[in-house]
Amino acid sequence: MENLPSFISIVFGLTAILTVLLFYKAANYSRVVLYVLCGWLLLQTVISLSGFYTVTDTLPPRLALAAGPMFIGIALLFFTAKGKEFIDGLDIKTLTLLHTIRIPVEVVLFWLYMESMVPELMTFEGRNFDILSGITAPIIWYLGFVKKNLSPKIILIWNFICLGLLLNIVINAILSAPFPFQQFALDQPNIAVLYFPFVWLPGCVVPLVLLSHLVVIRRLIRN
C-alpha cells in the first residue's frame, strides 16, 4: 500500500465522502444520519489502519465486520416501524443522483487493477458493468424527476437493472477476495478493500448505494 499513488486514495476518499453527503441531503440534512455515518467511517478507519482486516484466513472473514452492521441496519430500516418512517421520508430524487458516484468508483477500481490491488474482473474491462449505472443516473434524474418525462415504470426498471449490476460486482468482489472460499482471481486477488480508505467501499459506499435502490423501488411499487 505504501507504493500506491496517493491520488488513488484521495479520489476514492473524496468519492466516499460525497456519497455520505448526498445521502445526508436525501435524509433532509438529518444531523443524526450525518453523525452516524461519519462515526462509522471513523471507526472503520481506525480498525483498518490497525491491520485487523488483513488477516484473511478466518471464518467468517474479518471484513464482515465492515459490511455486516450496515446491511443489518438496512434490514432493520425495512422491518421496523421507525425504520419505515425514516426511509419513507428520504428524497428519492437525490437518491437517484447519488448513483453518479459509481463513475469515480469504477475509475478507482481500474487504477487499483493497474496497481495489482484488485483483479481485472472487478473493472469495466472485466465483468463489472456498474459504470453504466453511474453514467445513466444523471439522465434518469433529469428526465425522471426534473423534466418528469419518464414514467415510474421506466425508473423502476432502471433501478432493478442497476441493482442487478451492483449485486454482480459485489458477488465477484467477495469471491475474488483472499478468503478461505475464494473462487476467482487467485493470481491477483481483491486485497484493496482490506486497507484504508478502500475498506469504506464495502463498509459504507456499497450499502448506501444498495439502500438507495431499495428505497426507490419500495416507493415506486407502493405508489
Side-chain angles (χ1 to χ4, degrees):
M1 284 294 292
E2 60 272 7
N3 297 322
L4 190 70
S6 59
F7 73 88
I8 300 179
S9 297
I10 292 172
V11 170
F12 178 75
L14 291 175
T15 300
I17 291 172
L18 177 60
T19 306
V20 169
L21 291 177
L22 284 170
F23 191 81
Y24 167 58
K25 182 178 185 297
N28 302 304
Y29 300 103
S30 166
R31 290 187 179 183
V32 174
V33 168
L34 182 63
Y35 293 158
V36 168
L37 291 178
C38 288
W40 181 247
L41 289 181
L42 180 60
L43 177 61
Q44 292 307 314
T45 298
V46 173
I47 295 175
S48 59
L49 288 177
S50 73
F52 178 79
Y53 293 129
T54 59
V55 177
T56 59
D57 58 353
T58 62
L59 281 176
R62 290 187 174 187
L63 194 63
L65 292 176
M70 285 289 285
F71 290 111
I72 292 172
I74 290 174
L76 291 175
L77 289 177
F78 282 86
F79 291 102
T80 62
K82 288 188 176 180
K84 293 176 183 178
E85 181 181 352
F86 170 75
I87 60 178
D88 286 341
L90 294 174
D91 177 27
I92 63 174
K93 178 179 177 181
T94 304
L95 291 180
T96 300
L97 193 60
L98 181 146
H99 296 293
T100 57
I101 61 92
R102 290 155 89 161
I103 298 175
V105 166
E106 296 308 311
V107 172
V108 166
L109 286 176
F110 182 76
W111 288 338
L112 289 172
Y113 159 63
M114 299 300 291
E115 298 294 329
S116 300
M117 298 292 290
V118 302
E120 183 182 29
L121 65 84
M122 285 182 59
T123 74
F124 44 71
E125 288 195 345
R127 305 177 188 174
N128 185 2
F129 307 104
D130 199 51
I131 195 170
L132 297 175
S133 303
I135 293 173
T136 55
I139 299 174
I140 297 297
W141 168 79
Y142 183 73
L143 295 179
F145 297 100
V146 178
K147 289 296 186 179
K148 301 185 185 301
N149 290 332
L150 293 181
S151 69
K153 181 180 291 188
I154 295 298
I155 301 174
L156 184 62
I157 292 173
W158 177 82
N159 272 278
F160 272 118
I161 292 174
C162 294
L163 179 59
L165 293 177
L166 177 67
L167 294 177
N168 169 65
I169 181 55
V170 167
I171 292 171
N172 278 282
I174 293 173
L175 295 180
S176 298
F179 301 140
F181 50 80
Q182 181 181 1
Q183 298 294 316
F184 308 136
L186 299 177
D187 57 335
Q188 185 171 324
N190 170 25
I191 61 173
V193 294
L194 306 176
Y195 299 92
F196 172 80
F198 308 107
V199 68
W200 288 354
L201 183 59
C204 186
V205 175
V206 168
L208 289 182
V209 169
L210 172 64
L211 177 58
S212 297
H213 277 312
L214 295 179
V215 169
V216 175
I217 289 172
R218 179 178 187 271
R219 189 81 57 82
L220 292 177
I221 289 178
R222 290 186 68 195
N223 291 340

